[in-house]
Amino acid sequence: MQSLRELYRIGRGPSSSHTMGPERASYIMKERFPKADKFVATLYGSLAMTGKGHGTDAVIEQVLAPTVCEVVFDTETECDVHPNTMDIEAFSGGKSLGKHRFYSVGGGAIEIDGEKSEKPNTVYPHRTFNEIAEYCKANNLRLYEYVGQCEGRQIFEYLSAVWERMKQTIHEGLIVSGVLPGVLGTQRRAQQLFNQRHIDESAQTKENRLVCSYAFAVGEQNASGGIIVTAPTCGACGVVPSVLKYMQETRGFSDEHIVRALATGGLIGNLIKRNASISGAECGCQAEIGSACSMAAAALAELFEMGLDQIEYAAEVAMEHHLGLTCDPIAGLVQIPCIERNAVAAMRAINALSLANFLAGSRKISFDIIVKTMLNTGMDIKSCYRETSVGGLAKYYEIGKKQQ
């Protein structure tokens, strides 16, 4: 598995696959073909279907400017390798200088057809949770200590910067109101959730309101192209920071404890990325929100210093109950149902933590099994429910009309 630096990426939304990935690909082309006077970028699959809503064409044109770039949306050609496929060809004087095919594989990472440049060196020797757990038990290590052993102490400095960015994004999302960009006219609601207290508000209601307001704040910043941290993706970036922010405020956990939790949650995300997928275009929203919920549940379990079995159970429960979740963003925008879904998943992560506290000893399903199940389920989901915006809510919601 790769470094957690490849999982937790700091960058602009609204989509790790559709914005960050194509942005990196465009920078590569600009560097390799500095004498080009024109570029042609052809988008396929999910990139073609939802690229307009995600701003894929805009980010490509911005990176390659001032050189002219023509963006073509090819919704007919099938993508055999990955649903997020794009070709970029460089020209000079009408003659081709070269062409590369890129795959935006999720979380902002890309792969170049025929090259290994986007695959950093493996830093983790184990490939499954069971292997890691056995090693940790044999060496009396907690999961975050295993991360430090594999990556070096500097990874915790990086995760500290990640946590600062997460907190800043929550703050930025809570101090603004108004309407998000795009044809839906979606109202920002984080500030309303945060401020709308009830005079007789119970502790449970307050927890729900605050956690959800933090998740909304991050999701809305992502949707507006703000700076966020992929955890593990842009579309699911609100789950992990919202629960950790709430627990730090209410339980007094130090930043050091939060960083340890991020390491443990990141390890879970890495296992999903390695053995299944974190791409909504590949496996549906279960791969994004489900993975984020699983990461958050494991991170919470680490905060409360639960045992390996309890951490595994929390992560497994969180993923298991997102199986089959479709990715059907209306108008290709990372807004509806994406933002609200972050909030719901954040609360589910807290529920998974509670179950793990009581029931881990009686569990039957391993985390590794649930990851394999998620991958197979994702492969079975029809393409219209995998970030193409031609099925589900995206199909039935009529923009500009009153909904029945």
Side-chain angles (χ1 to χ4, degrees):
M1 295 189 297
Q2 300 169 6
S3 168
L4 295 189
R5 296 171 185 269
E6 298 298 316
L7 185 79
Y8 292 120
R9 297 173 184 263
I10 300 173
R12 290 193 177 276
S15 171
S16 46
S17 293
H18 293 63
T19 309
M20 288 185 179
E23 180 181 41
R24 296 184 74 187
S26 300
Y27 275 119
I28 290 172
M29 291 297 293
K30 190 171 187 177
E31 180 180 348
R32 292 188 179 184
F33 301 98
K35 295 183 178 181
D37 58 23
K38 180 181 179 180
F39 290 97
V40 176
T42 305
L43 310 180
Y44 306 97
S46 178
L47 289 179
M49 293 286 193
T50 64
K52 279 289 183 183
H54 287 83
T56 307
D57 53 338
V59 74
I60 292 172
E61 291 168 352
Q62 288 168 10
V63 171
L64 295 176
T67 306
V68 174
C69 179
E70 177 186 352
V71 181
V72 178
F73 294 85
D74 183 345
T75 60
E76 301 298 325
T77 302
E78 294 187 6
C79 306
D80 296 329
V81 177
H82 196 281
N84 288 330
T85 299
M86 63 183 292
D87 293 330
I88 304 181
E89 188 167 8
F91 294 88
S92 179
K95 295 182 179 180
S96 177
L97 298 177
K99 177 180 178 181
H100 290 301
R101 169 159 288 192
F102 299 90
Y103 307 111
S104 185
V105 296
I110 63 171
E111 295 177 6
I112 306 174
D113 191 40
E115 298 185 18
K116 297 182 179 180
S117 58
E118 281 294 307
K119 293 183 179 180
N121 293 331
T122 298
V123 296
Y124 291 92
H126 304 100
R127 302 173 68 174
T128 67
F129 187 91
N130 184 61
E131 290 176 0
I132 293 172
E134 290 301 314
Y135 178 82
C136 287
K137 289 175 183 176
N139 293 276
N140 196 29
L141 295 173
R142 294 194 66 81
L143 291 177
Y144 78 85
E145 292 174 321
Y146 170 77
V147 170
Q149 186 180 94
C150 293
E151 299 224 30
R153 296 296 304 176
Q154 64 271 19
I155 189 60
F156 297 117
E157 296 177 9
Y158 179 77
L159 293 177
S160 179
V162 162
W163 177 232
E164 290 303 314
R165 181 63 252 177
M166 286 178 167
K167 289 188 291 184
Q168 182 63 25
T169 301
I170 291 174
H171 171 73
E172 291 168 354
L174 289 176
I175 62 174
V176 292
S177 57
V179 178
L180 293 171
V183 298
L184 294 178
T186 305
Q187 289 283 337
R188 284 179 176 265
R189 292 177 285 176
Q191 189 179 85
Q192 179 185 359
L193 265 175
F194 182 75
N195 292 325
Q196 198 166 320
R197 303 175 181 86
H198 190 277
I199 191 171
D200 293 325
E201 187 172 69
S202 67
Q204 293 84 354
T205 299
K206 184 176 182 180
E207 176 182 85
N208 194 309
R209 179 174 60 80
L210 290 179
V211 171
C212 290
S213 73
Y214 298 154
F216 266 79
V218 178
E220 288 169 359
Q221 285 302 100
N222 176 64
S224 63
I227 300 176
I228 55 85
V229 179
T230 58
T233 64
C234 287
C237 64
V239 183
V240 171
S242 61
V243 298
L244 294 181
K245 170 75 169 172
Y246 176 77
M247 289 299 176
Q248 184 174 60
E249 289 182 339
T250 59
R251 301 298 185 99
F253 290 110
S254 67
D255 284 343
E256 182 180 1
H257 285 104
I258 298 295
V259 165
R260 293 174 180 177
L262 284 171
T264 296
L267 191 59
I268 291 299
N270 243 2
L271 285 166
I272 297 170
K273 181 180 177 181
R274 166 63 180 79
N275 296 313
S277 175
I278 57 170
S279 170
E282 195 168 26
C283 285
C285 199
Q286 57 170 1
E288 295 200 36
I289 284 290
S291 297
C293 187
S294 196
M295 290 170 62
L300 289 173
E302 179 58 60
L303 270 187
F304 288 92
E305 298 184 341
M306 290 186 175
L308 269 172
D309 287 348
Q310 290 174 306
I311 293 174
E312 179 180 8
Y313 186 60
E316 180 271 312
V317 167
M319 174 60 79
E320 181 178 358
H321 300 290
H322 281 95
L323 290 178
L325 187 62
T326 60
C327 183
D328 49 355
I330 297 174
L333 297 168
V334 192
Q335 297 180 17
I336 301 174
C338 318
I339 297 172
E340 194 172 81
R341 190 169 281 176
N342 274 261
V344 172
M347 295 307 301
R348 187 171 288 184
I350 295 175
N351 291 337
L353 172 73
S354 180
L355 287 174
N357 184 47
F358 295 110
L359 304 177
S362 62
R363 65 186 179 89
K364 300 289 186 182
I365 308 298
S366 72
F367 178 74
D368 291 329
I369 287 178
I370 217 65
V371 171
K372 184 184 296 185
T373 303
M374 189 272 280
L375 175 62
N376 290 335
T377 302
M379 295 297 99
D380 288 339
I381 294 176
K382 289 183 177 181
S383 62
C384 64
Y385 298 115
R386 288 189 272 131
E387 209 169 358
T388 57
S389 288
V390 294
L393 284 175
K395 176 181 179 180
Y396 292 109
Y397 184 93
E398 297 184 56
I399 299 171
K401 292 185 179 182
K402 184 177 181 180
Q403 307 302 305
Q404 300 297 321

